[in-house]
Amino acid sequence: MNKKLRVSPSPHIRTKETVENVMWDVVIALTPAILAAIYFFRLGAVKVLSVSIITAVVSEAIAQKLMGRKIQIKDGSAIITGILFAFVVPPTLPWWITMIGAGVSIILGKMVFGGLGHNVFNPALIGRAFLLASWPVAMTSWIGVDGKAGPTILGVLKEHGFSKVLDMFGNQGAMYTKLFLGNVGGSLGETSVLALLIGAGYLLYKKQITWHTPVVYIGTVFVLMWIFGQDPLMEIMSGGLILGAFFMATDMVTTPYTSKGKILFGLGAGILVVWIRLKGGYPEGVAYSILLMNGVTPLINMYTRPRIFGGVKNNG
Amino acid sequence: MKLFTFKGGIHPPERKELAEDKEIEVFAAPKVVYIPLIQHIGSPLDPLVKVGDEVKVGQKIGDSKGFMSAPVHSSVSGKVLKIVKHPFPVNGYANSVIIENNGEDEWIESKAVDDYTKLSSEELLGIVRENGIVGLGGATFPTHIKLNPPKDKVIDTLVINGAECEPYLNADNRLMIEYGKEFVEGVKIILHILGIKKAVIGIEENKEEAIEKIQNLVANEDGIEVGVLKTKYPQGGEKQLIKALLDRVVPSKKLPSEVGVVVQNVGTAKAIYDAVVKGKPIVERVLTVSGLGVKTPKNLLVRIGTQFKEILESVGIDEEKTEKLIMGGPMMGLAQFTDEVPVIKGTSGILALTEKEMNSYESRSCISCGKCVSVCPMNLMPLMYAKLARFKEWGEMDRYNLMDCIECGSCQFICPSNRPLTEGIKIGKAKLRGMKRK
């Protein structure tokens, strides 16, 4: 043969799946929730989403350029961060705060760690935590259940108790229906349980996530809230729990990789949500529960190393 | 029907269809053969012939007194042209005996055995060694050593590896279909050597014809049965096979004899039959020529020492599209730098792979998706190896049980970032072996 042959170690074939496929699957899975957000929050949603996505992608490109790296914005990971960041802020957030938040998500949440795959915390949640500390008023100006400015369900619950929440909806059945469909106040992307579940189903079907973390996470919140005398169904359908459980606590980069680890992550995050909602200063705890568990992930990975085939026990 | 399997593994595109129905064709002995003086795991052999000598087919031309060795034989009759370094498919170059074929196909006098049951294990092991038999699955471990396990281990079961889980390859499949009788006789000889009664032949579900054929052949054989395995890679890994068929777990860093098992490949069993009953040493083997770069994929019976080049020319190769030339399967096979390498005992396949089937993809950062962890048949954490190798943390790699890795490549196959996982593993293993020797 006259041609120069390529020589490299085995294996010589690989799956057709690439990082791009993985990321774009997540984007596709987020689409129903994007549509729901636009349906419920109209122009506010379009504004926050577009500012956030554009800022995320542009800041990633700039950061990669400054770091002397190849520009890889096409892998879709910055778009995901842009969408997720928009999803965890109020639809009324001024455009310039949105921009700062999305930029912080990418720069401080991801690029300073070295870019995709190296970050310890969920970038979108870093952006959210940053804004909550810097512009607390803007970050908690919600559109309420009645479409006018007002607190979220969890906010009302924290301030005035469950009976006041029920008053807002009329009865329990109406409350569940509204929560499930999504025409209630809250962050952009967390309101429609239905839309989020459709996306989650897609990710499960494509095997980009497993059931372990979401089921244990949501289950833990449900059971503990029930034990503590709360309305468990309302608790799991409000706040960002469904969004967080399926789209953030399953983020490959910042969460454990074994099934056992994923279960522990869900359990820990669930306990933290209940703790923060019942005892903490904030009405809602999903973001902090995931960020805190992100920090524990390396430890979980260390302690959930699989037992090797034919091994008696871990020797590490 | 119950399908036997193990935990983990992957489902690469099989591409068996390219050649699985092609009957084994005899590939004409070439004008010149290049026979490397090492075709087994172990030390190289000394030549037993010199330039100018006339040799016959089956004549021993290289041997060694080393414990871990198996002799090589001439695959043609003719004259020794040279004994020099020649491209070698395992690594670079090897001392090789180059023989010009006189086309007479004169054989050495046969030492066939009429009734092997009258011979002792030692005598039969001697025959196995003298005929140069090594593991024909590709690992080329000397068979007479494998069939003589430590005396303190009680062996009760022979496992025959007919899984052939590597994509593309059909050599074992075709052997079972076309030489089923000889193969089963070979299994019986191995049982006799081991002095045991029980054999399980593991065949993957996708080889229906072979399963049916062998099931019929062993229907009246006491103690020999067929275990149908789930089609999955690496189903043919020794430890995976034993777990799947017998539900026994070979302890970490131990051999199958630890759990009373000896594993042999289909081709090796057939070779043992040829050696004992026909008095034929290994001078040829069945292999699959395939890959999308090959115009007419085939299964061939090829003389040892035939250059890849000649085989590829005969089946037609698309040089334009071919990017890699592989000896063996696409998962564990060895990439070749030249097509001048010869067929050796361990050549189960010759693959000409194109860009399209390899799915090359630029390596990216690890996104910790954990897919490599979930497919690892040894329950290791492959993602750690690439990281640790980068920082030269060899000791730490050992703590992550690097030495238990069977290098099946499942982790790198599944990795969406195409991390150089097996490369890190191979370097790490070499470094660790070096450290342990000191």
Side-chain angles (χ1 to χ4, degrees):
Chain A
M1 204 171 316
N2 297 320
K3 184 171 175 172
K4 205 160 178 228
L5 292 162
R6 215 188 305 162
V7 179
S8 64
S10 59
H12 308 288
I13 52 172
R14 62 176 299 281
T15 167
K16 283 195 175 131
E17 191 173 74
T18 62
V19 172
E20 282 85 350
N21 297 149
V22 175
M23 297 299 164
W24 284 103
D25 268 348
V26 179
V27 175
I28 292 168
L30 287 166
T31 312
I34 293 176
L35 296 176
I38 295 173
Y39 177 78
F40 289 119
F41 299 112
R42 307 288 159 169
L43 204 60
V46 176
K47 252 165 60 185
V48 172
L49 270 163
S50 44
V51 169
S52 177
I53 294 171
I54 293 168
T55 309
V57 173
V58 171
S59 29
E60 178 149 313
I62 293 171
Q64 282 168 344
K65 181 96 191 157
L66 290 177
M67 292 161 83
R69 299 258 181 97
K70 216 170 138 186
I71 294 182
Q72 289 179 319
I73 49 174
K74 272 197 270 178
D75 66 18
S77 66
I79 296 175
I80 295 176
T81 302
I83 297 171
L84 287 178
F85 174 73
F87 273 12
V88 293
V89 300
T92 50
L93 196 65
W95 67 268
W96 58 276
I97 299 186
T98 308
M99 212 164 149
I100 292 171
V104 165
S105 293
I106 291 290
I107 306 293
L108 289 184
K110 183 174 167 191
M111 298 316 289
V112 294
F113 290 98
L116 178 64
H118 301 289
N119 50 308
V120 178
F121 301 101
N122 187 296
L125 294 179
I126 290 281
R128 184 182 192 273
F130 179 83
L131 291 196
L132 201 57
S134 311
W135 289 277
V137 178
M139 281 295 286
T140 48
S141 300
W142 310 103
I143 298 173
V145 275
D146 48 4
K148 295 177 206 137
T152 60
I153 294 174
L154 292 178
V156 174
L157 183 71
K158 186 115 209 155
E159 297 297 316
H160 310 285
F162 189 59
S163 56
K164 181 79 200 225
V165 174
L166 274 187
D167 284 350
M168 291 159 60
F169 292 97
N171 61 57
Q172 217 156 353
M175 175 180 73
Y176 293 147
T177 313
K178 281 200 161 185
L179 280 172
F180 187 71
L181 294 177
N183 41 346
V184 292
S187 295
L188 205 59
E190 65 187 35
T191 61
S192 175
V193 173
L194 176 65
L196 291 167
L197 287 182
I198 293 171
Y202 176 77
L203 285 184
L204 283 166
Y205 167 74
K206 294 286 267 183
K207 294 193 174 140
Q208 300 301 6
I209 63 171
T210 65
W211 60 269
H212 303 85
T213 305
V215 167
V216 174
Y217 190 6
I218 295 167
T220 304
V221 173
F222 187 93
V223 170
L224 288 181
M225 284 299 186
W226 180 66
I227 290 172
F228 290 120
Q230 306 295 317
D231 179 341
L233 256 185
M234 185 213 72
E235 291 285 350
I236 62 169
M237 289 202 288
S238 50
L241 187 62
I242 301 291
L243 174 70
F246 285 102
F247 294 93
M248 292 170 163
T250 54
D251 168 32
M252 292 169 173
V253 179
T254 57
T255 64
Y257 24 71
T258 64
S259 304
K260 234 195 276 170
K262 288 180 166 112
I263 289 171
L264 281 178
F265 188 97
L267 188 71
I271 293 169
L272 285 168
V273 165
V274 173
W275 183 280
I276 296 168
R277 282 189 187 178
L278 296 182
K279 299 278 175 197
Y282 292 105
E284 147 69 347
V286 170
Y288 287 113
S289 77
I290 295 173
L291 281 173
L292 286 167
M293 290 310 291
N294 286 160
V296 187
T297 292
L299 208 64
I300 296 179
N301 277 336
M302 216 169 92
Y303 283 103
T304 53
R305 270 169 57 176
R307 195 169 88 186
I308 64 158
F309 184 86
V312 184
K313 60 176 175 59
N314 279 345
N315 58 1
Chain B
M1 184 172 42
K2 192 191 163 201
L3 288 180
F4 297 97
T5 193
F6 66 98
K7 194 177 139 285
I10 53 167
H11 298 274
E14 291 178 28
R15 300 202 197 270
K16 300 268 192 192
E17 68 283 357
L18 295 173
E20 71 188 334
D21 297 326
K22 308 275 176 68
E23 275 182 33
I24 300 169
E25 276 177 43
V26 177
F27 189 80
K31 289 250 154 45
V32 179
V33 289
Y34 303 77
I35 300 176
L37 285 167
I38 175 164
Q39 296 188 46
H40 56 267
I41 291 184
S43 44
L45 309 173
D46 302 316
L48 301 176
V49 289
K50 40 186 204 307
V51 175
D53 281 3
E54 293 287 334
V55 294
K56 290 181 176 171
V57 191
Q59 183 178 330
K60 198 155 90 171
I61 56 172
D63 205 348
S64 159
K65 289 206 168 61
F67 168 72
M68 191 71 110
S69 73
V72 295
H73 305 77
S74 178
S75 58
V76 293
S77 60
K79 199 162 98 185
V80 176
L81 288 181
K82 278 187 229 167
I83 300 174
V84 288
K85 295 257 182 220
H86 186 80
F88 178 56
V90 178
N91 50 6
Y93 295 83
N95 213 17
S96 308
V97 180
I98 300 172
I99 304 165
E100 185 179 37
N101 184 0
N102 61 15
E104 303 289 323
D105 225 17
E106 284 174 275
W107 272 78
I108 47 155
E109 208 175 313
S110 170
K111 288 181 208 147
V113 172
D114 290 332
D115 183 1
Y116 71 84
T117 58
K118 294 211 175 87
L119 298 187
S120 69
S121 298
E122 283 70 30
E123 287 169 306
L124 285 167
L125 286 175
I127 295 175
V128 167
R129 188 196 179 278
E130 274 311 291
N131 286 290
I133 297 173
V134 297
L136 296 184
T140 64
F141 190 90
T143 303
H144 65 280
I145 301 175
K146 210 170 172 184
L147 289 183
N148 191 15
K151 294 288 168 251
D152 59 325
K153 306 281 184 251
V154 181
I155 304 296
D156 60 31
T157 310
L158 167 67
V159 165
I160 298 289
N161 182 1
E164 203 165 43
C165 56
E166 276 268 14
Y168 300 86
L169 304 187
N170 305 292
D172 291 346
N173 181 36
R174 290 313 309 179
L175 257 182
M176 288 189 282
I177 294 169
E178 296 177 46
Y179 294 91
K181 240 184 176 155
E182 291 87 341
F183 158 62
V184 172
E185 279 305 305
V187 173
K188 284 158 74 180
I189 299 172
I190 301 174
L191 286 176
H192 181 72
I193 294 174
L194 292 170
I196 60 171
K197 300 260 181 269
K198 191 184 164 202
V200 187
I201 303 166
I203 311 175
E204 275 188 344
E205 196 191 3
N206 61 357
K207 298 167 189 67
E208 287 162 37
E209 204 182 338
I211 292 170
E212 206 193 311
K213 175 100 192 186
I214 302 302
Q215 266 172 345
N216 287 334
L217 282 170
V218 301
N220 297 318
E221 301 286 349
D222 274 348
I224 306 180
E225 52 184 283
V226 173
V228 180
L229 300 158
K230 212 166 147 182
T231 304
K232 178 159 92 171
Y233 179 87
Q235 192 64 265
E238 232 173 37
K239 294 184 175 186
Q240 283 64 40
L241 200 59
I242 294 168
K243 170 74 177 122
L245 291 171
L246 306 173
D247 198 27
R248 296 184 195 172
V249 175
V250 180
S252 165
K253 296 178 180 71
K254 293 283 164 74
L255 297 171
S257 59
E258 199 71 21
V259 292
V261 180
V262 165
V263 182
Q264 289 290 334
N265 164 268
V266 167
T268 315
K270 159 76 164 49
I272 289 174
Y273 166 86
D274 284 344
V276 174
V277 178
K278 290 188 177 162
K280 260 178 80 173
I282 295 189
V283 295
E284 58 193 3
R285 70 155 296 148
V286 178
L287 54 82
T288 302
V289 201
S290 191
L292 297 187
V294 167
K295 288 180 184 142
T296 48
K298 283 180 179 176
N299 299 298
L300 299 171
L301 180 67
V302 181
R303 302 281 176 129
I304 302 294
T306 308
Q307 285 188 327
F308 282 20
K309 191 163 70 177
E310 299 188 44
I311 298 168
L312 289 169
E313 275 163 14
S314 88
V315 295
I317 178 168
D318 189 335
E319 286 201 24
E320 199 62 16
K321 281 199 201 146
T322 300
E323 291 291 325
K324 259 189 187 179
L325 188 60
I326 309 292
M327 177 176 91
M331 293 301 299
M332 292 187 77
L334 302 167
Q336 303 300 319
F337 68 93
T338 167
D339 57 1
E340 284 172 19
V341 292
V343 168
I344 58 171
K345 293 174 187 175
T347 310
S348 50
I350 300 175
L351 305 179
L353 299 184
T354 63
E355 199 59 67
K356 187 182 160 208
E357 58 204 312
M358 291 192 289
N359 288 318
S360 304
Y361 173 71
E362 181 200 1
S363 182
R364 308 283 289 268
S365 293
C366 172
I367 54 170
S368 302
C369 65
K371 290 185 193 215
C372 55
V373 181
S374 68
V375 301
C376 179
M378 296 304 290
N379 293 348
L380 303 172
M381 299 179 80
L383 55 90
M384 295 306 297
Y385 299 137
K387 284 182 196 166
L388 294 170
R390 228 179 106 208
F391 297 110
K392 300 192 164 47
E393 296 268 9
W394 317 121
E396 194 63 14
M397 285 177 93
D398 198 23
R399 293 218 316 148
Y400 276 92
N401 303 303
L402 176 72
M403 293 318 243
D404 284 278
C405 169
I406 60 170
E407 296 180 36
C408 69
S410 298
C411 51
Q412 192 166 333
F413 173 86
I414 206 75
C415 179
S417 293
N418 194 22
R419 303 292 305 149
L421 299 170
T422 49
E423 198 181 323
I425 287 166
K426 279 172 185 163
I427 297 170
K429 277 189 171 181
K431 292 280 178 191
L432 277 175
R433 280 196 197 104
M435 275 161 65
K436 280 176 183 169
R437 227 173 277 134
K438 270 172 205 164

